[in-house]
Amino acid sequence: MLRLRAIYTCSWRVFQFRTCSCKPLISQMIKCTDEEQAFELIKKNKATFSEKQVECAFNILWQFQQQRTSFLKNVDCIRDYPHFLTLHNLATSQIEFMDDDTLVNVLYFIQQCAPEAHDLLVEALVIESWRRLERFDINVLSKFSSCLANQHLYYSPLMGKIADIVHRNLETIDDLRSLSVLMVSISSLTSQRFQQQLVNKTEHLFDTIDSSQVNVARRIVQFLRNIKYSYYPLLERCNKVFLSNMNHLDLDSISKILSLYHFLQFHSFEFVKMAKKRLTEMIPLFDHLDGFVKLFVALGPMAGPEEKKQLKSTILLMSEELTSQQALAVMSAMEEMESRNSHLIKKIASILHKHLDDYKPFELLKITQTLIFLHFQSKELFVKLRELLLRYLKISVIPSEIAILVYALSILPSSNLGEVEISQIEAVLPQCDLNDLNGFATSVLRWIQYDRKYLDSTTGKQLKLLQKLDHYGLQRLRKCNSLNLLWKELKSLKGDWFTESLLEETVATLLRLMDEINSKNVAEIASFISRTNYLNTLLLDRIASVVVQQIEKIHPFEILGIILPFSALNYDPPQNDEFFRICIQHLNSYLSGLEPPMLVFLGFSLAALGYFPEDLLKAIFNIKFLSKLDSQLELLCSSLNRRVQFRLMELNRAVCLECPEYQIPWFHDRFCQQQYNKDIGSMNGAQKQIYKMLAEVLGGYNCVKASVLTPYYHRIDFECVLDKKKKPLPYGSHNTTLGKLPEMHWESNTQITGSRLPPGAERIALQFLDSRAFCRNIPHLKGKSAMKKRHLEILGYHIIQIPHFEWNCMALSTKEARMDYLRERIFGEGKS
């Protein structure tokens, strides 16, 4: 009651006329303790109700609902009161007397009471608001935009008018709370330039808000998510607001923030750690289904083993009551948790099956992907899924939706596509963007790959469809005249079709548009290039030039993405010293703000290029950092966890071998032994050929070792030793059996001991290099392979690399030619 009195104290001061009649009735309404009392007052005073009393009545009813947990049920209860219609009619009759603030407040309150889709009062209030739109102050305008958003009118002319008003008046707006509401509402109608203006204005006003303004910070992040812009300076500032208010964040807020961060790929382990602790404390507090499902979805993917067990057992007990959307949310969370609880999977799958007809195409795709990932098998469920997907496919006319349906069909067990469906795909191809075309191509390639009757009529049509996809993909690239528009379609492309059919043309398009590479998109373009394994020096030189010229406009978070293609593709730009010096300096000023996994990846990427910045290495190789990294690894998915650990090991090895002066100890011995025991490989066909021929060339299998592990655990395909006269030395009984962990002894970082070499003898490492060791388009050694070569040379080896394109060329098509090739490489001579 005190809160309601406070709300209306201000209203009474502003609203002066009808004072005598308003105040007593408003005071009586404020003293009401439930809806029944409020409606009784409405009934008795309906003849004299003013517009302010109408506003007060709606506000009080709304406050009562916010104090209850079963919100929707109580809203229905309100609308069932006989005198709700009376209040509704009173509001309709008072519209012309309402001031701007009252008008929009009544609209907001009536919307919360869940009226019909075309409620006459809502329509009248919206029309009147439209008439007054230009005179609304920023607070009223923001609330009105929120009302339109609640009606999903994001693309309406009225929302467009609001966007125009904000654009015209942006310089004079100084209320970030109201602006943040408007930004979220109009985000679908903003140009890229306007978006940047809004971001700049938000940065300018950010310090004007109190550090407790969580909702403002959340709306700012929501806006960035809506426009798909991971703007790190704002995200960091919002993150600080969330961290300082963590103890006051409820489940809904934490869930929403985690979801927004995930979409924007913004990693704050501090937030995740604190959120995990807070959510774990909430487990005993939620005994109702809605809350516990939200808790399961938010906490499950980052929970520890005990918490996961507790969450799964509780959700299993509640599973009978799950709605279709709750079941889908739980199943998706189980995929993120990499759950293998067959009983729970089966239970949730049965609920999904029961509600299958209620799901939309995208949800059906998600269900299909999740069930396959969780290794769930049910012929009946998959048959029903296929029927629904085909039913949607026959009526759909939206290219992106058709692409989703076709992709979902392609990953179903024992699935194929008929002529009717192929014709439907062909009909929408001219309207498809690169993402849609890539989805279709991936699906068609999957069907062709698994089709047993490769030459039947259906497969023939699939091959023709693939040719059409190539045509439309190339046409779209050639017509593209904007790098930013191109990037929107490129950023998520992957798969064999894109690589084989479009990569060359994509690089040509990037070259044509490379003058548009700037500080805002340079990291994204660089990351894309690193994924393609395609070395184009002109593009990389342009990236290096932009970084050197505009480094102050680039956030340190983006440096990793920028360095990646140079590291992965083993390329030094012409201004390499200046380029890497500037990148490293930019990082050094921000080392404390970077998350541990990112520091590890940065350290490794620079090490692959032969750069070992001392400040970065000191930041990584210390007890405090490694302890923090260990705690954060627990919050990562298993695949990323392994990747971070492996990169740390590789960085540790590189520093020990290439920078012994830093005196950083080698501490990955146990880790490497565990990895080696898990990954006992076997020779491929080419390696078996080479092994057999090496034995002949060197004089027997006792003169060659296969699958050798060096100190620091580099794996060598083959090893042999030549004396000072280049005669092979036998290993005797010390030859290594493939797959058996050899004993390794060493006294320093640069010497192999345990089997001393005679004076003048030379240890030789022979490596067969398959296509993965080279750039896709040219025979240029990639970064990891080049780094391994450096390390083996430091360890005392003479390196002989046997590239796959040399071993498999026509000149080496006979055994004799290959034997001569090996002799030449080992002894420097041809035929013996």
Side-chain angles (χ1 to χ4, degrees):
M1 288 303 105
L2 290 173
R3 181 154 52 95
L4 290 176
R5 288 194 186 99
I7 289 171
Y8 277 94
T9 300
C10 181
S11 299
W12 294 339
R13 291 197 192 102
V14 174
F15 197 72
Q16 296 297 327
F17 61 96
R18 303 188 191 181
T19 304
C20 294
S21 60
C22 280
K23 282 187 178 180
L25 184 53
I26 288 176
S27 298
Q28 291 179 61
M29 282 192 285
I30 289 174
K31 293 175 182 178
C32 291
T33 58
D34 56 33
E35 294 90 341
E36 193 166 341
Q37 289 183 11
F39 278 118
E40 190 63 30
L41 278 174
I42 294 168
K43 174 185 175 183
K44 290 179 180 179
N45 297 277
K46 61 183 179 181
T48 61
F49 242 61
S50 70
E51 68 278 6
K52 274 296 176 181
Q53 290 162 344
V54 167
E55 179 187 13
C56 178
F58 275 119
N59 193 5
I60 286 169
L61 293 172
W62 172 235
Q63 293 295 329
F64 288 143
Q65 298 317 302
Q66 288 183 306
Q67 295 167 13
R68 291 171 168 78
T69 54
S70 303
F71 170 68
L72 292 176
K73 179 180 177 182
N74 282 291
V75 164
D76 290 339
C77 182
I78 278 189
R79 298 186 66 245
D80 290 339
Y81 272 98
H83 294 290
F84 179 80
L85 183 59
T86 302
L87 181 61
H88 190 281
N89 293 335
L90 284 169
T92 304
S93 66
Q94 296 287 345
I95 287 177
E96 62 181 294
F97 301 111
M98 295 178 184
D99 62 17
D100 297 344
D101 193 51
T102 301
L103 182 75
V104 176
N105 279 340
V106 171
L107 174 60
Y108 178 80
F109 296 139
I110 191 67
Q111 278 188 332
Q112 307 313 312
C113 294
E116 293 81 3
H118 300 289
D119 184 86
L120 292 177
L121 175 56
V122 171
E123 290 182 5
L125 290 165
V126 169
I127 290 170
E128 182 61 26
S129 297
W130 197 334
R131 290 195 188 107
R132 306 183 190 185
L133 202 58
E134 288 286 353
R135 79 185 198 197
F136 279 173
D137 67 29
I138 187 67
N139 294 319
V140 175
L141 191 66
S142 68
K143 181 171 277 192
F144 181 55
S145 75
S146 181
C147 292
L148 295 181
N150 289 339
Q151 297 179 62
H152 306 290
L153 298 175
Y154 299 103
Y155 297 97
S156 65
L158 184 49
M159 193 71 88
K161 182 65 176 174
I162 293 173
D164 178 61
I165 292 172
V166 175
H167 186 258
R168 284 189 278 114
N169 296 280
L170 188 58
E171 287 187 11
T172 62
I173 296 174
D174 58 5
D175 179 4
L176 186 54
R177 188 202 64 79
S178 298
L179 180 60
S180 67
V181 175
L182 285 162
M183 285 162 58
V184 172
S185 300
I186 67 175
S187 55
S188 302
L189 301 173
T190 53
S191 66
Q192 191 170 22
R193 185 175 176 217
F194 186 22
Q195 289 167 6
Q196 191 59 53
Q197 290 174 332
L198 289 168
V199 167
N200 294 341
K201 186 69 176 182
T202 303
E203 279 195 289
H204 177 69
L205 293 176
F206 199 92
D207 290 334
T208 65
I209 64 169
D210 186 84
S211 61
S212 64
Q213 293 292 317
V214 171
N215 287 336
V216 175
R218 181 184 53 75
R219 285 192 291 267
I220 292 169
V221 179
Q222 177 70 58
F223 171 71
L224 293 174
R225 182 252 181 259
N226 289 357
I227 65 173
K228 301 176 182 178
Y229 184 20
S230 297
Y231 186 64
Y232 295 117
L234 265 183
L235 287 170
E236 286 184 288
R237 296 174 80 173
C238 292
N239 190 58
K240 288 179 181 177
V241 173
F242 300 144
L243 290 174
S244 64
N245 292 277
M246 180 60 75
N247 291 333
H248 305 294
L249 295 182
D250 59 14
L251 173 60
D252 285 339
S253 297
I254 294 173
S255 299
K256 184 67 173 177
I257 294 166
L258 286 171
S259 175
L260 293 171
Y261 280 1
H262 179 74
F263 181 90
L264 292 167
Q265 295 186 326
F266 177 72
H267 305 290
S268 170
F269 282 100
E270 189 65 25
F271 179 84
V272 172
K273 184 175 73 172
M274 293 175 70
K276 177 185 174 183
K277 181 178 181 295
R278 181 121 170 83
L279 292 174
T280 302
E281 293 168 352
M282 294 181 186
I283 293 178
L285 305 179
F286 287 95
D287 55 359
H288 57 279
L289 186 61
D290 289 348
F292 195 82
V293 168
K294 287 183 180 178
L295 183 64
F296 184 93
V297 171
L299 178 58
M302 59 184 174
E306 288 302 315
E307 290 85 10
K308 284 183 179 179
K309 185 177 179 181
Q310 188 175 356
L311 288 170
K312 290 177 185 178
S313 60
T314 305
I315 204 71
L316 187 59
L317 293 173
M318 296 180 169
S319 59
E320 290 293 342
E321 302 172 35
L322 290 173
T323 65
S324 59
Q325 290 302 311
Q326 288 171 339
L328 179 58
V330 169
M331 186 64 89
S332 298
M334 290 170 64
E335 179 182 6
E336 286 190 63
M337 296 160 69
E338 301 177 357
S339 174
R340 292 294 179 263
N341 186 320
S342 58
H343 186 39
L344 181 57
I345 294 171
K346 186 176 180 180
K347 187 66 181 177
I348 304 301
S350 69
I351 298 168
L352 294 173
H353 194 173
K354 183 171 65 175
H355 295 287
L356 219 49
D357 291 307
D358 302 330
Y359 293 112
K360 298 174 184 176
F362 179 78
E363 293 169 331
L364 292 175
L365 170 61
K366 182 63 181 173
I367 289 169
T368 306
Q369 289 176 313
T370 303
L371 292 176
I372 290 173
F373 176 84
L374 296 173
H375 305 297
F376 178 76
Q377 295 181 349
S378 169
K379 183 178 180 180
E380 184 183 1
L381 176 53
F382 286 138
V383 166
K384 180 71 179 294
L385 264 172
R386 177 174 166 75
E387 290 174 357
L388 282 172
L389 291 167
L390 287 171
R391 189 189 307 165
Y392 274 119
L393 185 58
K394 288 176 182 177
I395 62 172
S396 180
V397 294
I398 303 170
S400 58
E401 186 174 88
I402 294 174
I404 285 171
L405 293 165
V406 169
Y407 184 78
L409 283 166
S410 75
I411 62 177
L412 279 173
S414 306
S415 179
N416 52 48
L417 202 62
E419 295 184 13
V420 175
E421 291 79 25
I422 291 175
S423 299
Q424 190 173 3
I425 294 170
E426 290 176 335
V428 298
L429 290 184
Q431 308 167 48
C432 292
D433 63 15
L434 292 176
N435 283 305
D436 298 332
L437 295 173
N438 189 59
F440 285 134
T442 302
S443 304
V444 173
L445 285 169
R446 185 178 286 110
W447 274 309
I448 292 174
Q449 182 179 357
Y450 291 106
D451 195 340
R452 295 179 181 177
K453 299 178 181 178
Y454 184 77
L455 297 177
D456 70 8
S457 60
T458 304
T459 302
K461 292 199 172 186
Q462 290 173 357
L463 290 170
K464 289 180 181 178
L465 175 58
L466 206 55
Q467 292 174 345
K468 291 183 178 180
L469 288 165
D470 292 349
H471 168 75
Y472 282 105
L474 293 171
Q475 287 295 105
R476 190 162 185 88
L477 285 168
R478 288 166 185 164
K479 291 178 181 179
C480 183
N481 56 12
S482 167
L483 182 60
N484 289 329
L485 292 177
L486 175 65
W487 172 246
K488 287 181 180 179
E489 298 186 32
L490 285 182
K491 60 183 176 182
S492 58
L493 288 191
K494 56 185 178 181
D496 293 339
W497 176 74
F498 169 72
T499 301
E500 298 299 329
S501 301
L502 297 188
L503 185 53
E504 289 277 353
E505 191 66 37
T506 298
V507 172
T509 306
L510 287 172
L511 282 170
R512 177 163 51 86
L513 301 173
M514 73 176 180
D515 288 343
E516 296 180 35
I517 297 177
N518 54 43
S519 60
K520 294 177 183 176
N521 58 30
V522 65
E524 296 172 333
I525 302 300
S527 295
F528 171 77
I529 293 172
S530 67
R531 295 199 306 270
T532 65
N533 286 328
Y534 192 103
L535 178 58
N536 184 283
T537 58
L538 292 176
L539 275 176
L540 292 180
D541 291 348
R542 168 65 182 175
I543 287 170
S545 176
V546 168
V547 172
V548 169
Q549 295 170 18
Q550 304 181 35
I551 189 66
E552 294 304 322
K553 298 179 182 178
I554 298 170
H555 195 279
F557 282 6
E558 297 177 304
I559 296 298
L560 174 59
I562 290 168
I563 289 174
L564 272 176
F566 299 92
S567 173
L569 303 177
N570 187 30
Y571 176 70
D572 280 331
Q575 66 233 70
N576 64 308
D577 288 337
E578 185 181 9
F579 169 65
F580 290 114
R581 177 181 57 79
I582 284 175
C583 286
I584 291 167
Q585 282 181 351
H586 202 49
L587 285 172
N588 285 343
S589 63
Y590 207 81
L591 288 178
S592 61
L594 298 173
E595 298 289 357
M598 183 179 287
L599 280 177
V600 171
F601 288 135
L602 275 165
F604 170 78
S605 297
L606 288 167
L609 288 159
Y611 289 89
F612 297 89
E614 188 172 2
D615 288 344
L616 177 60
L617 295 176
K618 285 182 177 179
I620 293 173
F621 291 105
N622 64 76
I623 298 299
K624 184 178 179 181
F625 174 90
L626 296 174
S627 298
K628 186 177 180 182
L629 178 63
D630 279 341
S631 67
Q632 293 188 0
L633 289 176
E634 297 174 2
L635 303 174
L636 300 177
C637 65
S638 59
S639 58
L640 184 54
N641 183 311
R642 287 192 297 270
R643 190 168 163 230
V644 173
Q645 290 190 67
F646 207 78
R647 287 291 181 262
L648 180 64
M649 180 277 290
E650 292 177 306
L651 176 59
N652 187 200
R653 175 170 61 197
V655 174
C656 289
L657 285 169
E658 299 192 60
C659 299
E661 67 274 13
Y662 288 159
Q663 297 185 334
I664 292 173
W666 167 251
F667 55 92
H668 278 90
D669 199 66
R670 181 180 297 177
F671 172 81
C672 289
Q673 290 189 29
Q674 290 171 346
Q675 293 301 311
Y676 184 84
N677 288 330
K678 289 179 185 176
D679 185 30
I680 296 176
S682 58
M683 293 187 192
N684 58 35
Q687 287 171 326
K688 288 177 181 177
Q689 282 183 334
I690 294 170
Y691 188 36
K692 186 175 180 180
M693 291 182 187
L694 281 173
E696 292 186 45
V697 168
L698 295 169
Y701 285 104
N702 64 332
C703 292
V704 57
K705 282 186 177 183
S707 192
V708 177
L709 283 185
T710 72
Y712 302 105
Y713 292 85
H714 271 305
R715 188 194 294 268
I716 299 174
D717 292 337
F718 310 102
E719 180 193 277
C720 64
V721 178
L722 303 183
D723 65 16
K724 61 183 178 181
K725 295 182 180 180
K726 290 201 171 183
K727 297 287 185 181
L729 295 177
Y731 285 97
S733 61
H734 299 291
N735 202 349
T736 302
T737 304
L738 185 64
K740 182 179 178 182
L741 187 66
E743 293 184 11
M744 288 179 291
H745 308 281
W746 58 90
E747 294 175 350
S748 72
N749 291 347
T750 57
Q751 289 184 343
I752 301 177
T753 60
S755 55
R756 297 287 184 183
L757 297 181
E762 183 179 41
R763 197 181 298 272
I764 296 176
L766 294 99
Q767 288 288 107
F768 176 76
L769 302 179
D770 61 19
S771 59
R772 293 172 297 179
F774 299 95
C775 297
R776 181 176 296 277
N777 54 320
I778 57 174
H780 177 78
L781 205 61
K782 287 164 60 177
K784 283 192 69 174
S785 298
M787 181 167 64
K788 181 176 181 177
K789 184 174 185 291
R790 293 200 309 267
H791 291 179
L792 293 179
E793 287 172 343
I794 290 171
L795 288 168
Y797 282 96
H798 171 66
I799 315 301
I800 296 175
Q801 294 179 330
I802 305 174
H804 69 99
F805 49 83
E806 289 186 5
W807 186 254
N808 296 318
C809 69
M810 287 298 295
L812 300 185
S813 58
T814 64
K815 179 181 177 181
E816 290 77 12
R818 285 176 168 169
M819 296 280 282
D820 284 344
Y821 173 84
L822 291 174
R823 290 189 188 99
E824 172 66 27
R825 297 301 306 276
I826 297 170
F827 304 115
E829 61 185 38
K831 295 180 181 180
S832 58

